[in-house]
Amino acid sequence: MVLCTEIVNVIKSPITYLDVALPTALPNVLTYRWSESEKPPSVGMRVVVPLGNRRLTGVVWNVHNNDPAGYIPKNIEAVVDDRPVVTQEQIACWTWISQYYMCPLGDVVNTAMPSGMKLESKTRILINPDADLNVELLDTSLQLLDALQARGGMDVKEISEVLNLKYPQRIIRTLIDKGLAISEEELKEKYKQKTKAFISLHEELINDVEALKSELDKAEKQTPAQARMLIKYLEMASDGSSVSKVKLQKLSASTSATTNKLIEKKIFNIEHRAVDRVQKFIGKIEPLPTLSLAQTQAYDSLRKSLVERKPALLNGVTGSGKTEIYVHLIAEALQAGKQVLFLVPEIALTTQLITRLQKFFGDKVKVYHSRFKSNERTETWLKVLDDKKGSLVVGARSALFIPFRNLGLIIVDEEHETSYKQHDPSPRYHARDVILWMAAKGSVPCVLGSATPSVEMVWASQQNRIKKVDLKERYSGVMMPEVLVADLKKEYKQRSIRGGFSKLLRDQMDLVLKANKQIILFQNRRGYAPSWHCDTCGDTVMCERCDIPLVVHKRLKGLHCHHCGYHVTPIPTKCGACGSHSVNAKGLGTEKIEEELAELFPNARVGRMDLDTTRSKHAHAKLLEDFSNKQFDILVGTQMVSKGLDFEDVALVGVMSADKMLTFPNFRSFEKAFQMLTQVAGRSGRANERGIVVVQTFSPDHWVIQKVVDGDHEKLVANELIERKSYLYPPFVRLIRISLKHTDSKRVKVGAEVLSKRLRQRFGERVVGPDTPYLSRVNDLFRLEILLKFERELSPAKYKKMLDEDLDDFITDPRFKRLRFKVDVDPV
């Protein structure tokens, strides 16, 4: 009777199922069966599951007893963790990102989790983040390196297409052997705790002086290297304590073979200890900075808003000391045992910021961004997960995915920056907007900071959705920099221009250099020149795969495409269209500016900061440190030099050309131009003397240039809001952009027309296009775009659901199965 009861209970016991989110392009979770007798894994733990002929590591999203409809689920193969490594808050956030940005949940999981926490069986070839890419390579290898940088990574098939080689494995192996690329081909757990070897005296010799002396005498006669290492050890640790193996070998000029022999002879013991990959702060903790009266007022206003759990916008002019206010807010949160997230738009900004923050918070500062190794990011992830004392995480946009358990403050510095928006690959999220959702959902205090807030955030403050706090004066009391405009059109007529430098800029540079001050020159074009042009027929060398001119790179001795990696070497000496030898570089790049400076100011020390000079992990930090230590007089750079850098000896900023920013075909071009020019101008005169800014332009009377001269951000925002309301652009509507791509231009055109007609039947005049984008062809893919504008009063969930239905129907049409398309919600 007892046996029958047990059988009935077994039959009636419900089957446990796990919904698992996998880091691959799947729209939803997949359901698997838990067949073991022990307790199933908890939500947030990682499990290994089969998917086709692969095994992947996914995150448990839900545990339930509901039988899946339509298929028999496979079994969970293994459990990776003994505790959840993804929190419930993260699961809610990632789900929201998937729904709001209309992307597969698997893409969000893949982006959010560091690769050290994922098991992979199919691998792409990637750039090694720790490699120094400034090396000499053969043409084909260099082409692959450029393509990997342009795309972020490729599989073998894609590499074969780009190089036009049936078997590109030899070229791939060349980059891997040189340490320039990495390949992760085996299914394995990537993250391992870092250990360091320590050497100590064998326990039998610690108290036996005679035996130790005997071993030393024997070694001196027979093996001098071993004797040298033993003597050096005794000098370092006469009490028998342990010393670093690497340090001992270095100081004794010995090798691992010598160490191993001494271990075999039982003279040394070796011990492997777990150590942190990220170096600890070594230095003295300083007291918090003293706030000025204006800063104190802003701090009090911010604190009041944060107590009310209302997001705040700190609108502080460049050099006003926003960071000092952040430091006081962070200190208060850490003192309460809370965690703090500090987002910056660019990795370059973390270098100076981390140094400043560590002076106040020491080892509580943790860093998280893509320039760190996978194992370093994984280590930070797990430390934050287990943190119970409070910590400060500084990072770029991906840092928002970290598993905070006790988040007490979020700071988004330079909130206006478009770098917070991820463009490719999916998910195409905007970090600032995700942060605002996290703050609202978790009731977390949130501060957005900028000297030139975005139009959307100013509008939100006018709608009383966020609290705007103004900080209008610089911390040191120094006046805002004087902005001078150089009329290039006039200077060309007067023949006073030299290369890319107007007389006004040259004169100001001469004065600053004589005063032993520093200069920053801004040109948002890397390379030597934007194009290679024929003066006879006007022909320009174009990329074979993209509708854009090839960029001249003098150091690389070739013409390069920054979009697909295609290049031509050597630089042609005659025109391919007419045969004329009157070909030369047109336009101005950072390389050319550097070359011209050598002629105009031969005694000046010049540094260059762009993508070409900052490829390696520590290149940013080294350049900024050298400039800060006055090893350079002039720093030439792209937009990297415009954001958040603080150098007290910079007395002059030169903007080499402002016109390209004003004419870019985007409804935000005027706003972005004002922000860029104002931000780069703010690098000047941040200490005791008023700085000077020279803006070179062919349009000195342009209203945006005049607003930069006046520093009138409010007027610019007012003008922009009037324009956007008239023509239905954000913040008055929400945008969704659909891009279609294919190698056949006719197929793209037909597909775009069919899709736009289908969408108009549903959404009417809210559909705009299809239109040709600024770049109509990239990497042999022709592109068309459809723009949808939805009133803010409409429910995003409802119209996105209808849009998903139309897109699903479109994809199932046999004519358009091979069309590539992407959906970008809230494009910038």
Side-chain angles (χ1 to χ4, degrees):
M1 187 66 180
V2 174
L3 181 61
C4 292
T5 303
E6 290 178 354
I7 293 174
V8 170
N9 289 337
V10 169
I11 294 173
K12 287 185 177 181
S13 62
I15 300 173
T16 301
Y17 297 102
L18 306 180
D19 291 337
V20 180
L22 297 171
T24 188
L26 293 170
N28 298 303
V29 295
L30 296 181
T31 301
Y32 289 87
R33 176 174 173 164
W34 179 253
S35 58
E36 305 296 330
S37 58
E38 61 264 22
K39 183 181 177 182
S42 303
V43 172
M45 292 171 62
R46 291 175 295 163
V47 291
V48 178
V49 297
L51 182 67
N53 58 358
R54 296 186 294 164
R55 285 179 296 149
L56 295 177
T57 300
V59 179
V60 177
W61 225 246
N62 188 24
V63 180
H64 59 87
N65 304 114
N66 303 321
D67 294 334
Y71 68 96
I72 300 175
K74 297 180 179 179
N75 290 334
I76 299 288
E77 292 192 355
V79 180
V80 178
D81 305 302
D82 56 3
R83 46 93 193 243
V85 294
V86 176
T87 66
Q88 292 282 3
E89 291 79 8
Q90 285 176 292
I91 288 175
C93 181
W94 299 358
T95 302
W96 177 83
I97 291 174
S98 171
Q99 294 169 351
Y100 183 82
Y101 290 101
M102 301 182 68
C103 62
L105 179 61
D107 285 348
V108 182
V109 175
N110 189 43
T111 298
M113 297 190 70
S115 57
M117 298 185 70
K118 295 178 286 191
L119 298 175
E120 299 180 357
S121 58
K122 184 181 180 182
T123 305
R124 293 166 21 116
I125 307 301
L126 309 169
I127 291 289
N128 186 346
D130 301 314
D132 181 3
L133 304 184
N134 297 315
V135 296
E136 295 292 332
L137 293 171
L138 296 176
D139 288 354
T140 311
S141 299
L142 185 61
Q143 183 181 355
L144 175 55
L145 189 67
D146 287 342
L148 288 173
Q149 287 179 271
R151 299 193 188 187
M154 294 186 290
D155 59 30
V156 176
K157 184 179 179 182
E158 290 173 324
I159 292 173
S160 176
E161 293 172 354
V162 167
L163 299 182
N164 198 23
L165 291 174
K166 190 173 183 180
Y167 302 106
Q169 284 81 356
R170 181 179 59 82
I171 308 300
I172 296 171
R173 177 51 55 189
T174 299
L175 294 188
I176 292 175
D177 290 343
K178 289 180 178 292
L180 302 174
I182 54 176
S183 173
E184 302 161 335
E185 297 172 343
E186 298 178 2
L187 181 68
K188 60 183 180 179
E189 174 71 63
K190 295 195 197 70
Y191 175 71
K192 293 180 181 178
Q193 179 74 49
K194 183 178 180 180
T195 58
K196 192 173 182 178
F198 287 85
I199 298 297
S200 60
L201 205 60
H202 197 279
E203 55 267 16
E204 294 179 3
L205 297 177
I206 291 177
N207 298 317
D208 194 338
V209 178
E210 291 300 323
L212 179 60
K213 188 174 183 299
S214 173
E215 291 289 350
L216 182 58
D217 291 340
K218 190 189 302 182
E220 285 179 333
K221 294 177 183 178
Q222 300 176 0
T223 53
Q226 294 178 21
R228 190 168 63 246
M229 175 174 276
L230 185 53
I231 291 170
K232 179 55 67 176
Y233 168 81
L234 293 173
E235 291 177 1
M236 296 172 66
S238 58
D239 58 350
S241 58
S242 58
V243 298
S244 166
K245 175 187 172 185
V246 174
K247 189 174 182 180
L248 177 61
Q249 290 175 175
K250 185 177 180 180
L251 292 176
S252 63
S254 305
T255 64
S256 292
T258 305
T259 309
N260 294 336
K261 287 291 183 182
L262 289 169
I263 294 170
E264 289 175 13
K265 291 180 178 181
K266 294 188 176 180
I267 297 174
F268 279 165
N269 276 336
I270 187 167
E271 178 188 3
H272 294 275
R273 300 177 188 170
V275 295
D276 292 337
R277 286 185 165 82
V278 182
Q279 292 184 353
K280 290 187 175 182
F281 172 71
I282 302 175
K284 188 177 179 181
I285 302 298
E286 298 179 0
L288 298 183
T290 303
L291 299 182
S292 67
L293 178 60
Q295 286 177 315
T296 302
Q297 291 172 347
Y299 170 76
D300 291 339
S301 296
L302 287 173
R303 194 175 179 282
K304 182 179 178 182
S305 179
L306 299 183
V307 169
E308 297 171 355
R309 296 299 187 263
K310 187 174 185 178
L313 172 64
L314 178 57
N315 179 22
V317 297
T318 55
S320 60
K322 294 187 289 293
T323 304
E324 283 77 9
I325 296 176
Y326 297 153
V327 165
H328 279 263
L329 292 171
I330 291 167
E332 190 173 351
L334 293 178
Q335 193 173 2
K338 299 285 187 177
Q339 296 171 315
V340 180
L341 172 60
F342 195 136
L343 288 191
V344 292
E346 293 278 0
I347 296 169
L349 294 185
T350 60
T351 305
Q352 273 197 330
L353 183 62
I354 290 163
T355 303
R356 294 172 70 180
L357 293 175
Q358 282 180 329
K359 290 178 181 178
F360 304 117
F361 307 115
D363 289 333
K364 288 190 175 182
V365 180
K366 295 176 172 56
V367 188
Y368 191 92
H369 57 64
S370 59
R371 283 289 175 94
F372 273 27
K373 295 179 183 178
S374 170
N375 284 339
E376 290 173 333
R377 295 199 302 274
T378 303
E379 192 169 286
T380 301
W381 177 289
L382 296 175
K383 279 189 173 183
V384 174
L385 181 69
D386 296 332
D387 174 44
K388 295 179 181 177
K389 296 181 180 179
S391 58
L392 167 60
V393 177
V394 182
R397 62 175 180 253
S398 59
L400 66 86
F401 293 115
I402 288 181
F404 296 99
R405 289 193 180 276
N406 190 20
L407 195 55
L409 176 65
I410 306 175
I411 297 171
V412 182
D413 197 24
E414 309 293 355
E415 65 80 19
H416 66 277
E417 281 291 344
T418 54
S419 304
Y420 283 123
K421 172 73 173 181
Q422 175 156 311
H423 297 282
D424 283 306
S426 171
R428 297 173 182 88
Y429 67 96
H430 198 301
R432 179 199 63 204
D433 297 341
V434 176
I435 288 296
L436 287 173
W437 182 91
M438 289 171 58
K441 190 73 174 177
S443 191
V444 179
C446 176
V447 178
L448 312 176
S450 176
T452 53
S454 61
V455 171
E456 285 88 344
M457 289 300 102
V458 175
W459 177 82
S461 69
Q462 294 173 357
Q463 303 298 310
N464 201 31
R465 299 181 181 184
I466 62 176
K467 169 76 172 178
K468 184 167 174 280
V469 178
D470 292 320
L471 188 57
K472 294 297 186 182
E473 62 182 55
R474 284 191 155 188
Y475 177 68
S476 57
V478 178
M479 295 176 64
M480 295 297 293
E482 180 184 5
V483 181
L484 307 176
V485 180
D487 187 347
L488 293 181
K489 192 160 46 178
K490 184 178 179 180
E491 295 236 10
Y492 270 107
K493 284 182 180 179
Q494 296 175 348
R495 298 186 178 181
S496 59
I497 200 159
R498 298 288 181 271
F501 292 81
S502 63
K503 185 177 185 304
L504 175 61
L505 180 56
R506 294 198 310 275
D507 291 345
Q508 292 295 332
M509 290 178 68
D510 193 44
L511 291 172
V512 169
L513 291 173
K514 286 178 179 177
N516 198 30
K517 296 290 185 178
Q518 292 177 296
I519 300 167
I520 290 178
L521 296 179
F522 167 69
Q523 173 67 359
N524 208 16
R525 281 280 188 175
R526 67 183 175 99
Y528 186 79
S531 64
W532 189 248
H533 185 79
C534 175
D535 290 334
T536 303
C537 70
D539 185 65
T540 299
V541 182
M542 304 290 289
C543 175
E544 289 190 356
R545 301 191 179 103
C546 310
D547 286 335
I548 195 168
L550 292 176
V551 178
V552 185
H553 281 260
K554 205 166 187 179
R555 187 184 64 83
L556 298 176
K557 301 177 181 178
L559 309 179
H560 293 253
C561 177
H562 292 169
H563 293 272
C564 72
Y566 173 80
H567 72 283
V568 174
T569 52
I571 298 174
T573 56
K574 67 177 183 179
C575 177
C578 70
S580 170
H581 288 273
S582 299
V583 287
N584 51 57
K586 290 290 183 183
L588 200 63
T590 50
E591 277 186 30
K592 190 174 183 179
I593 294 171
E594 189 179 25
E595 182 181 274
E596 290 180 352
L597 285 170
E599 297 176 6
L600 295 171
F601 304 98
N603 296 323
R605 298 163 299 173
V606 181
R608 176 163 58 91
M609 189 164 76
D610 55 28
L611 186 61
D612 296 323
T613 62
T614 57
R615 296 183 191 277
S616 59
K617 180 179 178 181
H618 301 292
H620 276 119
K622 183 69 169 63
L623 265 171
L624 295 176
E625 183 181 357
D626 289 346
F627 190 61
S628 180
N629 294 333
K630 300 198 71 172
Q631 295 184 29
F632 297 129
D633 301 307
I634 304 173
L635 181 64
V636 181
T638 56
Q639 60 181 344
M640 293 180 183
V641 302
S642 71
K643 303 170 183 177
L645 302 180
D646 189 1
F647 301 106
E648 61 179 16
D649 282 321
V650 174
L652 173 66
V653 167
V655 178
M656 302 304 295
S657 177
D659 299 295
K660 186 72 176 177
M661 293 180 279
L662 297 171
T663 57
F664 192 78
N666 186 290
F667 73 92
R668 287 192 172 94
S669 60
F670 289 167
E671 177 192 7
K672 290 180 181 178
F674 180 92
Q675 289 168 341
M676 184 72 73
L677 293 173
T678 303
Q679 289 287 336
V680 74
R683 303 312 110 204
S684 173
R686 297 176 70 93
N688 301 317
E689 299 178 9
R690 188 183 188 190
I692 294 176
V693 181
V694 177
V695 178
Q696 298 189 151
T697 176
F698 285 95
S699 309
D701 297 325
H702 196 289
W703 74 272
V704 174
I705 299 293
Q706 294 304 313
K707 292 293 173 287
V708 173
V709 173
D710 298 336
D712 195 348
H713 180 256
E714 293 180 0
K715 186 65 175 176
L716 176 120
V717 171
N719 288 352
E720 283 291 290
L721 287 174
I722 292 171
E723 289 284 317
R724 296 188 190 184
K725 188 172 185 179
S726 299
Y727 295 101
L728 295 180
Y729 280 103
F732 301 100
V733 297
R734 301 180 192 271
L735 299 183
I736 297 178
R737 183 168 60 207
I738 302 172
S739 302
L740 294 95
K741 304 177 185 178
H742 198 272
T743 53
D744 185 349
S745 60
K746 292 182 180 178
R747 186 173 294 191
V748 176
K749 185 177 181 181
V750 172
E753 289 176 350
V754 169
L755 179 58
S756 62
K757 288 178 181 177
R758 184 191 299 269
L759 294 175
R760 279 194 180 89
Q761 291 175 357
R762 173 103 63 175
F763 302 115
E765 294 182 356
R766 298 183 181 91
V767 181
V768 180
D771 293 318
T772 304
Y774 172 65
L775 283 177
S776 60
R777 182 172 63 107
V778 175
N779 200 26
D780 284 330
L781 294 174
F782 293 91
R783 308 194 303 167
L784 285 173
E785 294 179 348
I786 300 170
L787 191 67
L788 291 91
K789 299 180 178 182
F790 294 101
E791 301 90 324
R792 296 192 71 88
E793 298 77 26
L794 299 177
S795 167
K798 289 183 180 179
Y799 61 70
K800 286 174 184 175
K801 181 180 179 182
M802 292 187 285
L803 178 58
D804 266 331
E805 293 172 358
D806 285 339
L807 291 176
D808 288 341
D809 290 341
F810 177 74
I811 294 171
T812 56
D813 191 321
R815 295 174 296 170
F816 310 124
K817 274 189 175 180
R818 295 188 178 275
L819 269 182
R820 298 187 193 178
F821 80 95
K822 70 177 185 182
V823 179
D824 190 0
V825 178
D826 298 338
V828 298

